Amino acid sequence: MSIVSQITNIEQTSRNPSQPTMSQEVSRTDASASVLPKRREVTCRLDTENRLSVVHVIGTYLKATLNRSAPPRSKFFSVKRTANVQYSISPPTSGEDLSPTPLNGNSVLLISMSHASESENDSKLSVQYYGENKEVLGRAVLHLTAVEISLDVDADRDGVVEKNNANKGSWKWGPNGHGAILLVNCDSEQKYLNKIPDCEQDYVTKVSDLKDMSVMVLRTRGPAKLPEGYKLTMHISQGHAECVRVFRSRSPEAKVNTLEKFLYNNFVKKYPLVLSSEVLSQEVPYLGGVAEMKFHVEGLRFPDNDFDGLVTINLSLLEPIATDIPETPIFTDKVVFRVAPWIMTPNTLQPVEVFVCNTYDNNPFLKGMRNLVAKGGYKFTICPKYVNRGDRWMQDELEFGYIDSPHQRFPVVLDSPRDGDLRDFPYDELLGPDFGYVTRVAEEEHVSSLDSFGNLEVSPPVTVNGKKYPLGRIIIGVAFPTATKGRNMTKVVQDFLWAQKVQEPIALFSDWLCVGHVDEFMTFVPAPNRKGFRLLLASPDAGYKLFRGLQNNGHGKAKMFEGLKDEKTITVDEIVDDENLQAQNNYVQSCIDWNRDVLKRELGLDDEDIIDLPILFKLVTEGEEESVLRAVAYYPDMVNMIVLGKDLGIPKPFGPKVNGRCALEAEMCSLMEGLGLSCTFIDDFATYHKLLGEVHCGSNVRREPFDFKWWNLEM
Amino acid sequence: MSIVSQITNIEQTSRNPSQPTMSQEVSRTDASASVLPKRREVTCRLDTENRLSVVHVIGTYLKATLNRSAPPRSKFFSVKRTANVQYSISPPTSGEDLSPTPLNGNSVLLISMSHASESENDSKLSVQYYGENKEVLGRAVLHLTAVEISLDVDADRDGVVEKNNANKGSWKWGPNGHGAILLVNCDSEQKYLNKIPDCEQDYVTKVSDLKDMSVMVLRTRGPAKLPEGYKLTMHISQGHAECVRVFRSRSPEAKVNTLEKFLYNNFVKKYPLVLSSEVLSQEVPYLGGVAEMKFHVEGLRFPDNDFDGLVTINLSLLEPIATDIPETPIFTDKVVFRVAPWIMTPNTLQPVEVFVCNTYDNNPFLKGMRNLVAKGGYKFTICPKYVNRGDRWMQDELEFGYIDSPHQRFPVVLDSPRDGDLRDFPYDELLGPDFGYVTRVAEEEHVSSLDSFGNLEVSPPVTVNGKKYPLGRIIIGVAFPTATKGRNMTKVVQDFLWAQKVQEPIALFSDWLCVGHVDEFMTFVPAPNRKGFRLLLASPDAGYKLFRGLQNNGHGKAKMFEGLKDEKTITVDEIVDDENLQAQNNYVQSCIDWNRDVLKRELGLDDEDIIDLPILFKLVTEGEEESVLRAVAYYPDMVNMIVLGKDLGIPKPFGPKVNGRCALEAEMCSLMEGLGLSCTFIDDFATYHKLLGEVHCGSNVRREPFDFKWWNLEM
């Protein structure tokens, strides 16, 4: 076929295309979207030689430069049109529709239509050109078909997909913000057999899976069918397609044509895949008349180092040109989603479920925990031996969080790259319907003890020099940046945490500890006053103050560790007089004070917001690097507690007794009672403390989400 | 050595550390830096058992909770200090220095010093504790050494490194902004032998190389030496270390001690490498007294997809604890640099040098160009045959730009991944002293014709709906986002362009062209009025208007292509009457109009800012994909011109002659003369036009940089 014969049908269809924004451009210039003029202008050709047929999208203008198509020697023009067509001339002229008006070199014709066409080419506009003596020189005729097209999302975040929200194409944080929200479909509709997170399969398994997706609606209004060759196409950029998938619903609530009905009734494919990383552009049917077509948008990736969380989906009306010539988009509508971040829950939120491990040796601990949990009536879940395989550190293998949107919310477990013997628990036991799962794999990085999630905590909500953190701030522990060697949390996990944005992390120094977790020296408890919480810090200085006080009051001979099997007792005098132990604790205090200063600054705390707990440490060479001295708790580390509302489960310290009562427990109770908190001391000595962990390390708590909605954050 | 003996020296040195911000934190929370309190507080221990020795950094506070170190039963305290030491008590007390004051449970002591110590431990503060009857219970003594430390940069962008700029730790755009600037050291001090860009070698080759680096000064004031074990360390995060290198200057202008002098005089190493991707933390000497140490910071990477351009360098004072225990940073100062972006130069900037290729066949073209360039007195550089190896497309292999800072500026060539036979020209012929080189390698991507830099242009400065682009906007051409197939510019180049930020790119649709370059249908020329420029667009409609006018005026028999060897002539009548050609041009007009709408919107242009040039196209199947019809110019494409001030070098169109003058040239001249521009028509027919390029494709222009400084952009 010759070039010429290939393009003979250009005459009927060729016309000016409109202005979809390039996908590249869309994804990078969202900020400027709001400054664009409200109504887009589409340059339009007029032609005195050929009859042109144009599809016009309601809400835009067609703009034609009259001089461009004027025959030579034209001096006047007049415009005629059918009722549905409006136009204006710029610069304005005094002439009327049908009387010849002087043709100005810059005269521009702006054409618009106010409602959709009932049938193809049912409207018309023509321009007649005249010579000096008003003799007719030519006539350009434009046949018009008007359609309404709107790709719609829940941009006002009320759970309902409104019609053509003016802000649907951009995203703004805050209570006065806008923009639709997408969840990573990281739960699994299957609880047991062959389960994988739903987002890892490219089809809809159950109708219930649709709840985890965001609804998107294509609303159209126009003739029963579009003029020959016109079509609707949904499209996305390659980068965004890796973060999202779009399904179409052939559900009966949409007005469907006969073929659609046939397909639906025959159940060929109820939810066909429209866009994915393999298909970046696909035609979607034009249903005709007044129609709504429903789509389901599924998030595939959490925000990360290389993904800011924003995804744009485009819908274009394409105009045919000719065989082998790419169709031209003459109108593009776009919507923007933000993928919901993973959110952690601080100790001040209401507990829902407490998790511990059952091991061959920890019955006393389990009993203590069961009683504590029963006080609040929370769910108590014990990970059985065959699952935990002796790994008792329930805190370290996983972190509970959640994802939230106006239409759906569910808990999501972050699985640590630690991968101890508990490694299968998060996936095998937690992932399920409305319980999501996410992990980060440290492929090229060394995983250290600092990757355990005892080293990942979150503060209660704070305000720092006027900046609000209504979801608190994530806290992790790392090595000093000045250290030439040292352990660190893997970059993949740190990148993930920082990318969630809504709980901006704080990096503390925890590499001075043998195990290296922030929960070894700090925690948060609820409080009825001030900022609604207190920061509790382990404090050797407070410990020495207490022991010296005992000595001064004549209790120097009181013994620690009494009643413990296989544990040598030690007197208050021996502790106070041990100069090396004092030196070691001075070092520990200096490390904790370093962190205290960072926490005060980054959480906006006063000294009155902090309570020092009497805890001593000692330095050992145990651990990953044999040559380095690092700290472990000298007696059960009371700050490593479980916080369940007003009930605290605290490692029983086995301190020196005064009048039959443990002086450490008494001090702890006295410090906490002022806050209305109740202390329960749990014996974790043999089965946790001696293994360098405590109550907190051996448990985990799933909590209620925040009432505060993350999209209302001011960023 | 036992643990205990290892740490016996803790007593002398152990003390509270201060609060450097973690490197991770620094790099991610720069925005919040300004909300931090001005003067940092460092939690400080007091000890009634041991004499403590503390190094205090001027400008911070030491903060001690009095109750923490108070002996049991303490009820009163008093404070004594040497003259250089200031303190306050919070909450305030009415007592005087030496009389016992009641000890409040929350009493906090804030200590500061106003100037640096002359010798170690030359200042002292002590707190005495008393019992109920004012009997002395204990005394805590703090020996103090005060130092001033400031890591300084040119944060106010005046070319001079000022002292301790309050904003040196953050970066802000705009005329009221702040923050130091770094250049990628991408030129080469060697012009010929074994040259590589300077940033690819990790040493300073010549003193002249230092001009391309940013000066950073460490200013210190204090005793002749720091107390035993204290040291200064410069450090950087791994991510930032890949973007920057720091050298130290042992130059004589710094006050150096004897050892330094010895090293300098012996020229062992004049500019030792301090920080690099291999060394993230390194000790730097403390010089003693009043000292300034000079560093040279070298940028290694341009902003890109994975690098926002910001780099933080930290300097910490480390306190020794004991063998095998990591030293504790007790003070950290930080500075932030932004790497200067690569900036393109639009046609409205003054030319400096014009580049063309000499090939076996292009003497007439060279002669025309030489005359044109001579008119403006610009430098004319001909790339010889043995370098270009027959590749004449000087526009396509490279793009000229520049980088700028308050201390240095030079041109930088961006080498295209096109890599035709001209591929060695940018590196071999342009890279040299004060002439930088950067490229992007498309390792995994298909390189298409759209990667040639005829497809990379930049607009003059514009204002769009109030948003200013004082450096203009980059313009590239791509395929429609709706196209299921199509050519595109490689992602690596697009990512690079977008990451420069200061000339936010616009993506046009150029895949409809056989060659696929934006310079085939658009250019900008300077203008004395309106926005200071006009956008010129190729316009088949304008072409047909002109040809029909000729026909109407009785010139239907006038011939195109007259006088050209091997080229068949064609009459005006034949062109006007060719319906297929008209259809093809209607399609081309619709493609250009699509781009016209995008350009109007993205550059804020009115129709009056645009001039339509009479140019016809035809569709062919030549090119990379045999089955697709794409456009080429029907006669020399006049919009593909070279713009040298007011002189335009335009492809000679060989149009139909009227009264002995080419009607296309006449029209072109008439359109341009109104803007005060002079048209020179250059015959590129045989040696460029027939090979699908024109004057612009076959030339390149290095221009003067903008007067506007990129860091004054409001972002």
Side-chain angles (χ1 to χ4, degrees):
Chain A
M1 197 157 53
S2 80
I3 297 166
V4 170
S5 65
Q6 276 179 323
I7 55 167
T8 45
N9 66 334
I10 285 185
E11 276 172 66
Q12 274 79 50
T13 54
S14 167
R15 205 198 35 80
N16 57 295
S18 169
Q19 71 290 52
T21 320
M22 295 290 174
S23 66
Q24 192 72 45
E25 195 187 345
V26 166
S27 65
R28 311 219 196 194
T29 61
D30 282 337
S32 66
S34 56
V35 299
L36 294 180
K38 285 248 163 59
R39 221 169 173 185
R40 296 225 169 158
E41 292 175 358
V42 182
T43 293
C44 169
R45 291 184 59 245
L46 296 175
D47 194 330
T48 54
E49 309 283 315
N50 304 292
R51 197 196 85 158
L52 297 182
S53 179
V54 172
V55 172
H56 170 72
V57 179
I58 305 284
T60 67
Y61 282 115
L62 292 169
K63 185 173 187 177
T65 309
L66 287 174
N67 205 35
R68 223 204 235 187
S69 62
R73 292 191 304 273
S74 297
K75 298 288 179 210
F76 298 92
F77 73 96
S78 65
V79 181
K80 225 171 115 182
R81 41 133 196 165
T82 54
N84 188 20
V85 182
Q86 290 84 44
Y87 76 91
S88 64
I89 308 287
S90 162
T93 59
S94 55
E96 280 168 39
D97 267 24
L98 299 173
S99 65
T101 308
L103 180 61
N104 179 312
N106 305 322
S107 287
V108 167
L109 181 66
L110 270 183
I111 307 163
S112 63
M113 291 174 70
S114 54
H115 55 266
S117 294
E118 306 262 317
S119 59
E120 288 176 67
N121 295 321
D122 66 359
S123 302
K124 200 162 84 170
L125 177 141
S126 64
V127 178
Q128 193 146 289
Y129 294 97
Y130 309 86
E132 199 144 7
N133 305 313
K134 306 214 175 164
E135 74 279 19
V136 174
L137 296 179
R139 186 160 173 255
V141 181
L142 215 52
H143 289 260
L144 293 153
T145 306
V147 294
E148 275 181 46
I149 299 173
S150 179
L151 186 62
D152 290 334
V153 292
D154 177 18
D156 60 3
R157 304 164 179 170
D158 64 354
V160 178
V161 176
E162 66 274 13
K163 192 169 178 185
N164 208 4
N165 188 312
N167 293 316
K168 66 188 182 180
S170 64
W171 212 97
K172 193 180 156 203
W173 293 93
N176 300 319
H178 58 259
I181 289 160
L182 201 57
L183 297 178
V184 178
N185 194 2
C186 60
D187 71 336
S188 171
E189 298 308 308
Q190 305 293 337
K191 175 70 189 160
Y192 301 104
L193 266 180
N194 303 323
K195 77 175 167 189
I196 59 170
D198 295 333
C199 56
E200 290 180 19
Q201 45 196 15
D202 65 354
Y203 53 90
V204 178
T205 42
K206 293 186 176 184
V207 174
S208 61
D209 196 20
L210 299 176
K211 287 200 311 339
D212 306 332
M213 305 187 194
S214 297
V215 175
M216 184 167 72
V217 177
L218 171 59
R219 294 186 167 104
T220 53
R221 185 191 284 256
K225 68 185 199 61
L226 290 174
E228 178 69 22
Y230 282 84
K231 60 189 187 190
L232 296 171
T233 292
M234 191 171 283
H235 53 103
I236 191 168
S237 71
Q238 180 72 54
H240 289 184
E242 279 155 23
C243 310
V244 80
R245 212 179 269 134
V246 179
F247 296 96
R248 182 155 68 86
S249 184
R250 299 190 200 261
S251 63
E253 70 258 32
K255 191 176 159 187
V256 291
N257 64 25
T258 319
L259 175 65
E260 291 281 317
K261 242 176 215 151
F262 172 82
L263 286 169
Y264 173 71
N265 291 335
N266 282 272
F267 228 83
V268 176
K269 229 182 173 183
K270 211 164 165 184
Y271 300 101
L273 183 59
V274 180
L275 297 181
S276 67
S277 57
E278 276 75 51
V279 182
L280 302 184
S281 179
Q282 185 164 169
E283 183 178 353
V284 296
Y286 170 79
L287 300 180
V290 180
E292 297 198 352
M293 192 181 302
K294 211 168 174 182
F295 296 85
H296 303 277
V297 187
E298 178 182 43
L300 306 181
R301 286 189 64 192
F302 279 94
D304 211 331
N305 209 14
D306 57 349
F307 172 44
D308 66 2
L310 291 173
V311 175
T312 302
I313 297 172
N314 309 282
L315 184 109
S316 290
L317 175 63
L318 299 191
E319 182 177 64
I321 302 292
T323 317
D324 293 332
I325 290 179
E327 291 136 334
T328 309
I330 60 167
F331 171 82
T332 296
D333 206 12
K334 70 163 185 168
V335 294
V336 171
F337 290 93
R338 183 183 289 279
V339 174
W342 178 78
I343 300 171
M344 285 177 61
T345 54
N347 283 352
T348 44
L349 289 175
Q350 188 64 9
V352 176
E353 187 174 6
V354 175
F355 294 80
V356 291
C357 288
N358 178 10
T359 62
Y360 69 98
D361 57 0
N362 72 342
N363 260 336
F365 173 79
L366 285 185
K367 200 174 145 192
M369 288 295 286
R370 186 189 302 278
N371 289 338
L372 176 71
V373 175
K375 278 173 79 174
Y378 314 118
K379 195 172 167 193
F380 189 55
T381 300
I382 298 178
C383 171
K385 291 173 194 166
Y386 74 91
V387 175
N388 68 53
R389 297 173 289 199
D391 183 352
R392 68 198 67 206
W393 308 113
M394 182 54 87
Q395 181 66 218
D396 290 340
E397 191 58 49
L398 60 100
E399 188 74 36
F400 289 109
Y402 68 96
I403 57 177
D404 195 4
S405 74
H407 57 278
Q408 172 72 314
R409 177 173 81 188
F410 53 75
V412 175
V413 60
L414 174 64
D415 187 0
S416 165
R418 166 186 184 260
D419 289 349
D421 284 330
L422 259 170
R423 63 182 169 271
D424 297 334
F425 176 75
Y427 194 98
D428 289 353
E429 307 295 320
L430 297 175
L431 171 62
D434 293 344
F435 207 117
Y437 173 93
V438 60
T439 189
R440 282 294 175 272
V441 181
E443 280 173 5
E444 292 169 13
E445 291 182 275
H446 173 69
V447 173
S448 75
S449 174
L450 272 64
D451 286 298
S452 291
F453 286 166
N455 197 29
L456 170 61
E457 300 300 320
V458 64
S459 82
V462 289
T463 301
V464 187
N465 295 315
K467 183 170 180 189
K468 286 181 184 166
Y469 296 91
L471 303 173
R473 296 187 67 176
I474 287 173
I475 293 167
I476 64 166
V478 299
F480 274 132
T482 51
T484 45
K485 57 181 180 178
R487 300 168 299 173
N488 220 319
M489 185 176 274
T490 48
K491 186 169 177 292
V492 285
V493 173
Q494 289 201 44
D495 283 345
F496 174 83
L497 296 174
W498 256 274
Q500 306 313 306
K501 279 192 188 154
V502 296
Q503 298 178 306
E504 190 187 337
I506 302 166
L508 297 181
F509 168 45
S510 69
D511 191 35
W512 58 275
L513 286 149
C514 181
V515 173
H517 298 176
V518 293
D519 72 350
E520 297 179 78
F521 65 86
M522 60 163 289
T523 194
F524 297 95
V525 293
N529 52 10
R530 296 190 58 84
K531 302 183 169 73
F533 69 90
R534 291 290 187 285
L535 166 64
L536 307 188
L537 287 177
S539 169
D541 276 1
Y544 271 99
K545 196 172 163 65
L546 182 141
F547 282 99
R548 286 212 187 89
L550 290 176
Q551 192 180 45
N552 259 290
N553 291 327
H555 302 293
K557 301 294 173 223
K559 286 175 187 162
M560 294 215 64
F561 305 137
E562 264 190 330
L564 283 167
K565 227 175 80 180
D566 304 328
E567 194 67 23
K568 236 183 75 183
T569 59
I570 183 164
T571 66
V572 169
D573 285 340
E574 285 170 315
I575 287 174
V576 171
D577 297 342
D578 182 340
E579 290 191 1
N580 283 317
L581 186 65
Q582 169 80 61
Q584 296 179 18
N585 274 286
N586 287 351
Y587 166 65
V588 168
Q589 185 67 56
S590 77
C591 292
I592 294 173
D593 281 346
W594 194 95
N595 289 306
R596 178 192 185 96
D597 290 336
V598 174
L599 286 165
K600 279 172 67 177
R601 198 171 66 241
E602 298 293 339
L603 298 180
L605 304 183
D606 302 315
D607 287 307
E608 291 71 20
D609 297 313
I610 304 176
I611 296 176
D612 289 318
L613 303 187
I615 297 162
L616 299 188
F617 290 79
K618 60 186 177 185
L619 299 184
V620 298
T621 54
E622 222 172 314
E624 296 178 19
E625 286 156 90
E626 285 296 319
S627 67
V628 180
L629 278 169
R630 290 198 171 102
V632 299
Y634 190 86
Y635 47 82
D637 185 0
M638 294 185 292
V639 80
N640 194 274
M641 63 177 67
I642 184 172
V643 179
L644 301 173
K646 291 184 178 308
D647 293 309
L648 311 181
I650 302 170
K652 189 175 174 60
F654 291 94
K657 286 193 177 129
V658 173
N659 303 327
R661 190 175 180 205
C662 168
L664 288 169
E665 290 189 19
E667 172 72 3
M668 191 72 201
C669 290
S670 125
L671 290 170
M672 295 299 107
E673 274 160 10
L675 304 174
L677 301 172
S678 150
C679 300
T680 301
F681 294 92
I682 294 173
D683 178 1
D684 70 354
F685 201 94
T687 55
Y688 291 84
H689 171 69
K690 295 296 281 182
L691 303 171
L692 305 185
E694 311 282 359
V695 171
H696 187 258
C697 309
S699 61
N700 217 321
V701 185
R702 181 163 72 81
R703 297 179 188 275
E704 292 287 0
F706 283 100
D707 289 332
F708 183 89
K709 299 302 185 184
W710 62 266
W711 52 88
N712 286 330
L713 267 172
E714 309 268 12
M715 297 286 262
Chain B
M1 195 158 53
S2 79
I3 296 167
V4 169
S5 64
Q6 277 180 322
I7 55 168
T8 45
N9 65 334
I10 286 186
E11 277 170 66
Q12 275 80 49
T13 54
S14 168
R15 203 199 35 80
N16 56 295
S18 168
Q19 71 291 52
T21 320
M22 295 289 175
S23 67
Q24 191 73 46
E25 197 186 344
V26 165
S27 65
R28 312 220 196 194
T29 62
D30 281 339
S32 66
S34 56
V35 299
L36 294 180
K38 286 248 163 60
R39 224 170 169 181
R40 295 228 170 156
E41 292 175 358
V42 182
T43 294
C44 169
R45 291 183 59 245
L46 295 175
D47 193 331
T48 54
E49 308 283 315
N50 304 294
R51 198 197 85 157
L52 297 183
S53 179
V54 172
V55 172
H56 170 72
V57 179
I58 305 285
T60 67
Y61 282 115
L62 293 169
K63 185 173 187 177
T65 310
L66 287 174
N67 205 36
R68 223 204 234 186
S69 63
R73 291 192 304 273
S74 298
K75 298 287 180 213
F76 298 92
F77 74 96
S78 65
V79 181
K80 227 172 113 181
R81 40 125 199 172
T82 54
N84 188 20
V85 182
Q86 290 84 46
Y87 77 91
S88 63
I89 308 285
S90 161
T93 59
S94 56
E96 281 168 39
D97 267 24
L98 300 174
S99 66
T101 308
L103 180 61
N104 179 312
N106 305 323
S107 285
V108 168
L109 182 65
L110 269 183
I111 306 164
S112 64
M113 291 174 71
S114 55
H115 55 266
S117 294
E118 306 263 318
S119 59
E120 289 177 66
N121 295 320
D122 65 359
S123 302
K124 199 162 85 170
L125 177 142
S126 65
V127 178
Q128 193 146 287
Y129 294 97
Y130 308 87
E132 199 143 8
N133 304 314
K134 306 211 172 165
E135 74 279 18
V136 174
L137 297 180
R139 184 158 173 258
V141 181
L142 216 51
H143 289 259
L144 292 154
T145 306
V147 293
E148 275 181 45
I149 300 173
S150 179
L151 186 63
D152 290 334
V153 291
D154 177 18
D156 61 1
R157 305 162 180 171
D158 64 355
V160 178
V161 176
E162 64 274 13
K163 191 168 178 185
N164 208 6
N165 187 312
N167 292 317
K168 67 188 181 180
S170 64
W171 212 96
K172 193 179 155 203
W173 293 93
N176 300 318
H178 58 258
I181 289 160
L182 201 58
L183 296 179
V184 178
N185 194 1
C186 61
D187 71 337
S188 171
E189 298 308 308
Q190 306 292 339
K191 175 71 188 160
Y192 301 105
L193 267 180
N194 303 324
K195 77 175 167 189
I196 60 169
D198 296 332
C199 56
E200 290 181 20
Q201 45 197 13
D202 64 354
Y203 53 90
V204 178
T205 42
K206 293 187 175 182
V207 174
S208 62
D209 196 21
L210 298 176
K211 288 200 311 337
D212 306 332
M213 305 187 193
S214 297
V215 174
M216 183 167 72
V217 177
L218 171 59
R219 295 186 166 102
T220 53
R221 184 190 287 255
K225 66 184 199 65
L226 291 175
E228 178 70 22
Y230 281 84
K231 59 188 187 190
L232 296 171
T233 292
M234 192 170 283
H235 52 103
I236 192 168
S237 72
Q238 180 71 57
H240 289 184
E242 280 155 22
C243 309
V244 79
R245 212 180 269 131
V246 179
F247 298 96
R248 182 155 69 85
S249 184
R250 299 190 201 262
S251 63
E253 69 259 32
K255 191 176 158 186
V256 292
N257 64 24
T258 320
L259 175 64
E260 290 280 319
K261 243 176 213 152
F262 172 82
L263 286 169
Y264 173 72
N265 290 334
N266 282 272
F267 228 82
V268 176
K269 229 184 172 181
K270 210 164 166 186
Y271 301 101
L273 184 59
V274 180
L275 297 181
S276 67
S277 57
E278 276 75 51
V279 182
L280 302 183
S281 179
Q282 186 164 168
E283 183 177 354
V284 295
Y286 170 79
L287 300 180
V290 180
E292 297 199 350
M293 191 181 299
K294 210 169 176 182
F295 296 85
H296 303 277
V297 187
E298 177 181 45
L300 307 180
R301 285 190 64 192
F302 279 93
D304 211 331
N305 209 13
D306 57 349
F307 172 43
D308 66 2
L310 291 173
V311 174
T312 302
I313 297 172
N314 309 280
L315 184 108
S316 291
L317 175 63
L318 298 191
E319 181 178 64
I321 302 292
T323 317
D324 293 332
I325 290 180
E327 291 137 336
T328 309
I330 60 167
F331 171 81
T332 296
D333 206 13
K334 70 163 184 167
V335 293
V336 171
F337 289 93
R338 182 183 288 279
V339 174
W342 178 77
I343 299 172
M344 285 176 61
T345 54
N347 283 352
T348 45
L349 288 174
Q350 188 64 8
V352 177
E353 186 174 7
V354 175
F355 294 80
V356 291
C357 287
N358 179 9
T359 61
Y360 69 99
D361 57 0
N362 73 343
N363 260 336
F365 172 79
L366 286 185
K367 200 175 146 192
M369 288 295 286
R370 185 189 302 277
N371 289 340
L372 176 71
V373 174
K375 279 174 79 173
Y378 314 118
K379 196 175 168 193
F380 188 56
T381 301
I382 297 177
C383 171
K385 292 173 193 166
Y386 74 91
V387 174
N388 68 52
R389 296 172 289 198
D391 184 351
R392 68 197 68 206
W393 308 113
M394 183 54 87
Q395 181 66 218
D396 290 339
E397 192 56 50
L398 59 100
E399 188 75 34
F400 289 109
Y402 68 96
I403 57 177
D404 196 6
S405 74
H407 57 278
Q408 172 72 313
R409 178 174 79 187
F410 53 74
V412 175
V413 61
L414 174 64
D415 187 359
S416 165
R418 166 185 184 261
D419 288 349
D421 284 330
L422 260 171
R423 63 181 168 271
D424 297 334
F425 176 74
Y427 194 99
D428 289 353
E429 307 295 320
L430 297 175
L431 171 64
D434 292 345
F435 207 117
Y437 173 92
V438 60
T439 188
R440 282 296 176 270
V441 181
E443 280 173 5
E444 292 170 13
E445 291 180 274
H446 172 70
V447 173
S448 75
S449 174
L450 272 63
D451 286 297
S452 291
F453 287 166
N455 197 31
L456 169 61
E457 299 300 321
V458 63
S459 82
V462 290
T463 300
V464 187
N465 294 314
K467 184 171 178 188
K468 287 181 184 166
Y469 297 91
L471 304 173
R473 297 188 68 177
I474 288 172
I475 294 167
I476 65 166
V478 300
F480 274 131
T482 51
T484 45
K485 57 182 180 178
R487 300 169 298 173
N488 220 318
M489 184 176 273
T490 48
K491 186 169 177 294
V492 284
V493 173
Q494 289 200 43
D495 284 345
F496 173 82
L497 296 174
W498 257 273
Q500 306 312 308
K501 279 190 187 153
V502 297
Q503 299 178 305
E504 190 187 334
I506 302 166
L508 296 181
F509 168 46
S510 68
D511 191 34
W512 59 274
L513 285 148
C514 180
V515 173
H517 298 175
V518 292
D519 72 350
E520 297 178 80
F521 64 88
M522 60 164 289
T523 193
F524 297 95
V525 293
N529 52 10
R530 297 190 58 84
K531 301 183 170 72
F533 68 89
R534 292 290 188 284
L535 166 64
L536 308 188
L537 287 178
S539 169
D541 276 0
Y544 271 99
K545 197 173 162 63
L546 182 139
F547 283 99
R548 286 210 188 90
L550 291 176
Q551 191 180 46
N552 260 289
N553 291 327
H555 303 291
K557 301 294 172 224
K559 285 174 187 162
M560 294 215 65
F561 306 136
E562 263 189 332
L564 283 167
K565 227 176 80 180
D566 304 328
E567 195 66 24
K568 234 182 78 183
T569 59
I570 184 164
T571 65
V572 169
D573 285 341
E574 284 169 316
I575 286 173
V576 172
D577 297 343
D578 183 341
E579 289 191 4
N580 282 317
L581 185 65
Q582 168 82 60
Q584 295 179 19
N585 274 287
N586 287 350
Y587 165 66
V588 168
Q589 185 66 56
S590 78
C591 292
I592 295 174
D593 280 345
W594 193 96
N595 288 307
R596 178 193 186 96
D597 290 336
V598 173
L599 286 165
K600 280 171 67 177
R601 198 171 65 243
E602 298 293 339
L603 297 179
L605 304 183
D606 302 316
D607 286 308
E608 290 72 20
D609 298 313
I610 305 175
I611 296 176
D612 290 318
L613 303 186
I615 297 162
L616 299 187
F617 290 79
K618 61 186 175 184
L619 298 185
V620 297
T621 54
E622 222 172 314
E624 296 177 18
E625 286 155 272
E626 286 296 320
S627 67
V628 180
L629 279 168
R630 291 197 170 103
V632 300
Y634 189 85
Y635 47 82
D637 185 0
M638 293 185 291
V639 81
N640 194 273
M641 63 177 66
I642 184 171
V643 179
L644 300 173
K646 291 187 179 307
D647 293 310
L648 312 180
I650 302 170
K652 189 176 174 60
F654 292 93
K657 287 194 178 127
V658 174
N659 304 327
R661 191 177 178 202
C662 168
L664 288 168
E665 290 188 21
E667 172 72 3
M668 192 70 201
C669 290
S670 125
L671 291 170
M672 295 299 106
E673 275 161 11
L675 303 174
L677 301 172
S678 150
C679 301
T680 301
F681 294 92
I682 294 173
D683 178 2
D684 70 353
F685 201 94
T687 55
Y688 291 85
H689 172 69
K690 295 296 279 183
L691 303 170
L692 306 184
E694 311 281 358
V695 172
H696 187 258
C697 308
S699 61
N700 217 321
V701 186
R702 182 163 72 79
R703 298 179 187 274
E704 291 287 359
F706 283 100
D707 290 331
F708 184 89
K709 299 301 185 184
W710 62 265
W711 51 88
N712 286 329
L713 266 173
E714 310 269 13
M715 296 286 262

